[in-house]
Amino acid sequence: MTDFVTLAEDIAREAGEMILAKRPTNPEVVQTKSSPTDVVTALDRASEELIRARIRQARPDDMILGEEGGDTPGSSGVRWVVDPIDGTVNFLYGLPEWAVSIAVEVDGEIVAGVVNVVPRGELFSASLGGGAVLHKDGLALSRLRCNSGVPLGQALVATGFGYDAGRRGVQGSVVAAVLPAVRDIRRGGSCAIDLCSVAAGRVDAYYERGINYWDYAAAGLIAREAGARLGGLNGKGPNGELTLCAAPGLFEELHDLLAPLDPERDA
């Protein structure tokens, strides 16, 4: 697992450096996906192409699942899960909340995760059972621990919103009900960074509907290795319908606040 983490760190750093070097003053949208506001830039594609090439060079028999390129088969039992730029709209607008995310699965279980928050010079990494670490400007700063013992009423909660207007309307009603019950809400625009923020104690909790596996594969491991619980509603694992993350205790309080609001609906 250490080898997986080291390789993922090296690739994520190289991809981040390439993105910064090639980022034009005003990146252009080259494609939209689920809606006109769900965008892809040329550097999303270039980043994933670089990451795939480096993985194939080092481990040619591994599978790769990437946001832009889909699934590539392999025979080793190892699969890499890649989000080449998580927070593409932030990237498009020149906001700093975007990251390169790379996770490694072995026989269906995430064993390594790296999230490179390129504009901040911060790289988060974790291995299964090995803890989570924050690196700043190439140096390992500290082991990560999420905040514990925080009651719901004092919790700073991160969330995000979907691209479909109807879904955002529902999410607005949900967050309106959550806001009076917590300290405050934060909306950064990157699932991976929000989960790493839980791991680092920068927020106390996170929930969101509509995220994809590549959004949370790496950062979810980082949060869990920092002591957080990651899951869905009513005993389900993390999923696109709704994913929650917080320290044990706060996780259950947030879950019980959200569940009666039916946050998995779209209308």
Side-chain angles (χ1 to χ4, degrees):
M1 285 187 284
T2 301
D3 290 342
F4 284 134
V5 172
T6 300
L7 180 57
E9 288 176 348
D10 290 344
I11 295 171
R13 287 191 178 102
E14 184 179 355
E17 290 167 1
M18 180 276 293
I19 294 167
L20 284 182
K22 293 188 175 182
R23 186 187 191 279
T25 303
N26 296 300
E28 293 183 358
V29 173
V30 297
Q31 182 185 342
T32 59
K33 293 185 283 189
S34 62
S35 82
T37 56
D38 186 5
V39 300
V40 179
T41 70
L43 281 172
D44 284 275
R45 293 176 174 174
S47 175
E48 184 163 324
E49 288 169 3
L50 183 153
I51 293 167
R52 285 176 175 273
R54 296 297 178 265
I55 293 168
R56 285 194 296 265
Q57 287 171 3
R59 299 187 55 88
D61 297 324
D62 290 356
M63 297 172 280
I64 304 172
L65 171 64
E67 179 177 13
E68 309 305 334
D71 239 326
T72 300
S75 59
S76 66
V78 175
R79 183 170 73 157
W80 296 71
V81 183
V82 175
D83 193 338
I85 301 179
D86 185 54
T88 299
V89 173
N90 287 342
F91 174 75
L92 184 68
Y93 277 80
L95 297 171
E97 297 295 292
W98 58 270
V100 177
S101 175
I102 303 174
V104 184
E105 279 181 355
V106 176
D107 297 327
E109 183 175 26
I110 299 290
V111 300
V114 170
V115 174
N116 183 12
V117 187
V118 181
R120 292 189 196 160
E122 293 184 339
L123 185 144
F124 297 83
S125 65
S127 61
L128 183 64
V133 178
L134 168 60
H135 307 255
K136 179 73 173 179
D137 297 324
L139 301 175
L141 288 185
S142 60
R143 292 275 178 173
L144 297 175
R145 294 301 300 173
C146 68
N147 295 332
S148 61
V150 179
L152 182 65
Q154 295 297 310
L156 186 61
V157 179
T159 192
F161 304 107
Y163 294 106
D164 177 77
R167 177 172 289 185
R168 286 201 304 271
V170 172
Q171 290 172 322
S173 68
V174 170
V175 79
V178 171
L179 187 55
V182 301
R183 180 190 295 274
D184 207 346
I185 293 290
R186 292 292 181 268
R187 194 279 197 263
S190 164
C191 165
I193 296 176
D194 284 345
L195 287 168
C196 289
S197 292
V198 173
R202 294 171 178 173
V203 298
D204 300 303
Y206 162 80
Y207 78 92
E208 188 168 355
R209 168 160 168 70
I211 58 175
N212 294 295
Y213 185 45
W214 46 75
D215 297 319
Y216 65 83
L221 178 66
I222 292 165
R224 292 197 308 272
E225 286 296 322
R229 180 178 172 186
L230 182 75
L233 289 182
N234 302 314
K236 291 184 287 189
N239 64 87
E241 297 304 307
L242 196 77
T243 292
L244 299 80
C245 184
L250 178 56
F251 180 99
E252 288 76 13
E253 286 192 81
L254 181 59
H255 174 281
D256 293 347
L257 172 64
L258 287 167
L261 302 174
D262 192 15
E264 296 178 321
R265 73 191 191 280
D266 284 332

